[in-house]
Amino acid sequence: MNRIPILLCGNAAVFDGMVISTLSIVKHHAGPIDLFVFTMDLTDRDPAFRPVTGTQRDLLASVLQERNPGSRIRLVDCKAYYLETLDGAPNQNTQYTPYAFLRLFADRVPEMPPKLIYLDTDTVLCRDIAELWEQDLGRAEFGAARDYYGCRFFGINYLNSGVLLLNLPRIRETGLFRRALELCARKSVFLADQTALNRLAKQKKVLPRRFNEQHRRREDTVIRHFSMTILWFPRFRTRNIKPWQVDALHSTLGITEFDDILTQWQALTATHAKKENA
């Protein structure tokens, strides 16, 4: 069975999401996974910007290897890349943290596989990740599903970057990630990295909605993405409930179908916290 490489990015604050996503991946896929975790320490700017630690990496490794002993994990410190390209850039103080940019360093990190799945940490698998992996990109730099709101305001093929199927050789050839970083370093951009990818891609593949369902789970949904929701009535407001916010997931969204995964996550993180505090 082919190894499937998957990239997660973030800091310790979203580690719960990494665990939940990983648990959902192995629930539906029995084959070996190569998990890459990009992180960095920016506590000199914000005490909350702590990196994913070695012990947290080991917890993810145990989740992967309990399902398939051949699975592997690699923790990558991307701080040097970040400081080289985005230090002092105008897009760092938005609703998104600097960690949103880390996926744009995948073409620079040595020994990355040529084809790679990127997942936001607020995604949960509903079916086998292999269904996404088997999509043919051809000459496209990346494949992604349409953004639920963005395609209405920014063009029909404005894609959501929370789930990406990446063609790294083609990205290096076109310089997509480097050009996206240059744009984000030079000027303020709404939804910076996502918009930069959409604006600068020479060729992108529109994937079916089932690979990045941002609204509600359907029968064929492969990946449920808990991205921000806009509520129009009785007044305009936004709602941003994440998988690890279990009470809100139940009471506000009425979602219980992931409870088996969430129970596992709660048990794992409780055990991890005891070890950390011992």
Side-chain angles (χ1 to χ4, degrees), residues 23 67 78 111 115 130 181 212 229 253:
L23 284 167
R67 176 64 157 161
C78 291
E111 300 177 0
K115 187 179 180 183
L181 287 164
N212 184 353
T229 300
L253 299 183

Side-chain angles (χ1 to χ4, degrees), residues 25-140:
I25 291 166
V26 301
K27 174 183 176 179
H28 299 284
H29 184 78
I33 298 291
D34 281 345
L35 183 62
F36 298 86
V37 178
F38 287 6
T39 193
M40 60 181 171
D41 184 346
L42 288 181
T43 50
D44 56 329
R45 303 185 183 187
D46 188 326
F49 290 169
R50 295 177 292 110
V52 175
T53 66
T55 56
Q56 289 173 327
R57 174 203 59 208
D58 293 344
L59 188 153
L60 290 172
S62 70
V63 171
L64 291 168
Q65 292 167 0
E66 182 177 1
R67 176 64 157 161
N68 190 306
S71 291
R72 302 176 299 206
I73 184 169
R74 180 180 169 196
L75 186 64
V76 180
D77 181 358
C78 291
K79 185 173 183 177
Y81 301 119
Y82 181 81
L83 294 179
E84 176 189 348
T85 56
L86 291 172
D87 192 29
N91 295 286
Q92 296 182 88
N93 298 313
T94 69
Q95 68 205 78
Y96 300 101
T97 72
Y99 296 85
F101 293 101
L102 293 187
R103 54 192 160 181
L104 300 183
F105 301 125
D107 62 331
R108 305 182 189 213
V109 173
E111 300 177 0
M112 293 296 289
K115 187 179 180 183
L116 176 68
I117 293 172
Y118 165 80
L119 298 175
D120 271 0
T121 56
D122 55 359
T123 56
V124 183
L125 271 289
C126 306
R127 295 165 65 110
D128 195 337
I129 192 79
E131 295 186 37
L132 172 57
W133 176 250
E134 290 163 1
Q135 299 297 302
D136 182 17
L137 286 175
R139 292 283 289 164

Side-chain angles (χ1 to χ4, degrees), residues 251-275:
S251 61
T252 304
L253 299 183
I255 292 175
T256 58
E257 60 260 39
F258 302 119
D259 280 3
D260 58 335
I261 292 168
L262 297 176
T263 298
Q264 287 181 274
W265 155 68
Q266 288 169 329
L268 280 168
T269 51
T271 301
H272 173 74
K274 287 180 181 178
K275 289 181 180 179

